[in-house]
């Protein structure tokens, strides 16, 4: 268990006087153990990663914090379920991904709320392996290669109100579902639902609430629009 408490600052970036390593790194040998990381009201910067974990069923909770990784901000390896909750926080990488999860045989659960994730030259979220679920609410995610990369497994992405994605959603292999669950004007629900249903899961785009969404290689599009705007 690692708790980064309010007011804490960790910086391993060489240019800032750091040692050049990852800001937080936990590497478990087989059999993998489960780690719980809580970062609250803090600043964490790493020469490579802000957070690097190799383990089993890991849980990462980030609230009201700023994380920076020159390569990738959060990099998670190993089997087991990865649970990542990001609330009112900023994750920025000038290199590759904001969040990268690989070799997770049982998948991951990623919830992004009121936050900003940027993978300058690659992905905001790169989830490889297992059945992944990503829920985005009132947040801006930016990627260059693809904003979301969902390789392997049966993945589900839920776009709630205010989910702004700059870049393509790349579903890739497996049976992948894209759910549109944002609030829209009540008198427009039928029309927007019809537009969603007319789109091709394999590759298409749509504008909802003045936000542009595009995707490739998905298998199902679901309209679960909520009245309210």
């Amino acid at each position: 268990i690692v708790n980064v408490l309010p007011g804490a600052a960790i910086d391993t970036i060489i240019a800032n006087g750091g040692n050049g390593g990852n800001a937080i790194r936990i590497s478990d040998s087989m059999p993998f153990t489960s780690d719980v990381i809580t970062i609250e009201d803090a600043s964490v910067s790493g020469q490579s990663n802000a957070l690097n974990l190799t383990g089993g069923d890991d849980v990462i909770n980030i609230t009201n914090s700023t994380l920076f990784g020159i390569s990738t901000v959060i990099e998670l390896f190993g089997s087991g379920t990865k649970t990542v909750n990001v609330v009112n926080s900023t994750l920025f990488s000038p290199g590759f991904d904001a969040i990268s999860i690989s070799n997770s045989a049982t998948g991951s659960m990623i919830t992004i709320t009121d936050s900003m994730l940027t993978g300058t030259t690659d992905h905001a979220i790169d989830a490889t392996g297992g059945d992944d679920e990503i829920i985005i609410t009132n947040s801006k995610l930016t990627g260059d290669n693809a904003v979301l990369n969902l390789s392997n497994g049966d993945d589900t992405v839920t776009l709630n109100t205010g989910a702004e994605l700059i870049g393509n959603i790349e579903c890739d292999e497996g049976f992948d579902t894209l759910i549109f669950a944002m609030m829209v004007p009540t008198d427009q629900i039928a029309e927007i639902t019809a537009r969603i249903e007319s789109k091709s899961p394999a590759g298409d785009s749509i504008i909802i609430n003045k936000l542009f969404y595009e995707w490739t290689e998905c298998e199902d599009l679901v309209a679960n629009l909520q009245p309210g705007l």
Side-chain angles (χ1 to χ4, degrees):
I1 298 175
V2 176
N3 295 315
V4 182
L5 301 177
I10 303 172
D11 191 343
T12 62
I13 296 174
I14 294 174
N16 298 338
N19 64 8
N22 298 308
I24 300 172
R25 183 172 187 267
I26 300 176
S27 181
D28 298 329
S29 59
M30 293 291 288
F32 291 134
T33 59
S34 299
D35 302 305
V36 178
I37 311 293
T38 300
I39 300 173
E40 183 177 357
D41 294 299
S43 173
V44 181
S45 298
Q47 179 71 28
S48 182
N49 309 132
L51 178 59
N52 181 295
L53 290 182
T54 300
D57 296 332
D58 300 322
V59 178
I60 297 95
N61 296 311
I62 301 167
T63 306
N64 302 327
S65 297
T66 299
L67 276 67
F68 178 91
I70 289 180
S71 177
T72 291
V73 182
I74 297 175
E75 191 147 18
L76 307 177
F77 301 94
S79 60
T81 300
K82 314 299 181 184
T83 301
V84 181
N85 300 305
V86 180
V87 179
N88 195 33
S89 296
T90 298
L91 278 59
F92 181 83
S93 169
F96 297 103
D97 307 316
I99 298 175
S100 175
I101 300 177
S102 59
N103 300 324
S104 179
T106 56
S108 58
M109 176 69 186
I110 304 171
T111 304
I112 310 297
T113 306
D114 299 325
S115 296
M116 181 177 294
L117 276 62
T118 302
T120 303
T121 65
D122 220 343
H123 316 293
I125 299 175
D126 184 12
T128 304
D131 301 335
D132 304 307
E133 183 172 357
I134 300 172
I135 301 173
I136 303 167
T137 306
N138 196 34
S139 298
K140 182 177 181 179
L141 279 64
T142 302
D144 180 60
N145 190 349
V147 63
L148 303 179
N149 182 49
L150 310 171
S151 299
N152 305 316
D154 299 334
D155 307 311
T156 302
V157 175
T158 299
L159 302 174
N160 287 330
T161 303
E164 182 178 0
L165 274 59
I166 309 301
N168 181 54
I169 301 169
E170 191 171 294
C171 289
D172 212 348
E173 300 174 2
F175 191 94
D176 303 314
T177 303
L178 186 57
I179 302 174
F180 297 90
M182 58 279 291
M183 289 193 297
V184 299
T186 303
D187 60 357
Q188 295 181 23
I189 288 180
E191 181 270 328
I192 297 173
T193 296
R195 284 199 288 121
I196 293 171
E197 292 174 347
S198 73
K199 301 295 182 177
S200 170
D204 219 321
S205 64
I206 193 171
I207 296 175
I208 301 176
N209 294 337
K210 299 181 180 180
L211 296 176
F212 177 76
Y213 303 100
E214 60 179 336
W215 59 88
T216 55
E217 299 185 77
C218 300
E219 280 67 45
D220 193 19
L221 305 177
V222 176
N224 187 26
L225 301 171
Q226 306 300 310
L229 290 182

